[in-house]
Amino acid sequence: MNVSPLIHEEEIAEAVAQLGRRLSDEYRDRELTILGVLTGSLIFVADLMRQIEVPHQVGLLQASSYRGTATSPGRLELNLDFLPNLQGRDLLLVDDIFDTGRTITGICEKLKEQQPRSIQVAVLLWKKARTVVETVPDFTCFEIPDQFVVGYGLDYDGLYRHLPYIGVVETDTV
Ligand code: IMP
Ligand code: MG
């Protein structure tokens, strides 16, 4: 399988630093909790939190979506067991990619039950052409075309998360 580079390591670093500056302004004097969505956001969260200059808590949750058919959306399974108390907190949900948007939208609905003060969403990548939900990410590093990508946390069949750049998978089976 071939992976052809789409976004280079240096471009990612610059975009993450820029987002960190925006978020440092946005969340000054607020009660920020960053929530990373496992497993894809692992590297993005680790890099982003070091670019945010205001004090913040960090929590992790796990989301798995099972792809549905053309007519039925997939089922979303969430594991929220590792979260700190979110009541009254300003939540920033961080994920690798906003594709159809169903995963993030489902997570936001569930998090609202814990009565946070606010919820915003930051993603590294946005496949705008595939998005089917009404609400869109508040912060995006890169908009990308409708191609399957790996690297910097994103996987194909559990592999390629370790690549330091984002690349497009070239195979007949995707
Ligand atoms: P959504 O619910 O359709 O927005 O799906 C989001 C999830 O699908 C992401 O968190 C990823 O795990 C996965 N995903 C969507 N597109 C890609 C891709 O191009 N590469 C790797 N994973 C992807
Ligand atoms: Mg994911």
Side-chain angles (χ1 to χ4, degrees):
M1 198 179 90
N2 244 349
V3 178
S4 76
L6 180 68
I7 307 171
H8 294 278
E9 198 173 346
E10 296 76 17
E11 295 174 79
I12 298 173
E14 177 48 41
V16 172
Q18 201 179 333
L19 177 57
R21 289 193 290 272
R22 277 184 73 188
L23 293 171
S24 301
D25 281 344
E26 177 88 11
Y27 286 98
R28 208 166 294 283
D29 303 318
R30 292 171 71 188
E31 305 290 331
L32 174 60
T33 299
I34 293 178
L35 294 181
V37 183
L38 293 171
T39 305
S41 76
L42 196 64
I43 298 172
F44 182 38
V45 168
D47 283 347
L48 182 61
M49 60 193 273
R50 286 176 289 173
Q51 299 293 332
I52 295 178
E53 290 171 356
V54 297
H56 57 276
Q57 297 182 348
V58 179
L60 296 169
L61 59 94
Q62 189 169 31
S64 329
S65 329
Y66 296 90
R67 297 276 163 190
T69 61
T71 49
S72 73
R75 187 165 47 94
L76 178 65
E77 269 187 18
L78 296 180
N79 183 344
L80 308 179
D81 292 350
F82 304 116
L83 291 184
N85 184 3
L86 304 180
Q87 192 171 13
R89 303 285 305 178
D90 293 303
L91 305 187
L92 180 70
L93 190 60
V94 177
D95 205 358
D96 51 359
I97 187 165
F98 198 94
D99 184 28
T100 65
R102 289 193 178 110
T103 304
I104 297 278
T105 306
I107 296 170
C108 285
E109 285 311 307
K110 196 73 192 162
L111 291 175
K112 282 180 192 159
E113 293 173 9
Q114 306 206 23
Q115 300 176 309
R117 177 152 24 141
S118 65
I119 306 181
Q120 294 202 95
V121 172
V123 292
L124 180 71
L125 307 174
W126 183 11
K127 271 189 209 170
K128 214 170 186 175
R130 284 180 43 89
T131 297
V132 297
V133 296
E134 305 253 305
T135 43
V136 298
D138 301 286
F139 305 94
T140 303
C141 290
F142 302 97
E143 286 180 20
I144 61 165
D146 182 9
Q147 287 172 308
F148 198 86
V149 291
V150 294
Y152 199 72
L154 291 115
D155 74 303
Y156 170 64
D157 209 11
L159 300 175
Y160 302 101
R161 294 193 197 276
H162 67 288
L163 297 177
Y165 59 90
I166 307 274
V168 176
V169 174
E170 293 169 348
T171 163
D172 301 339
T173 57
V174 174

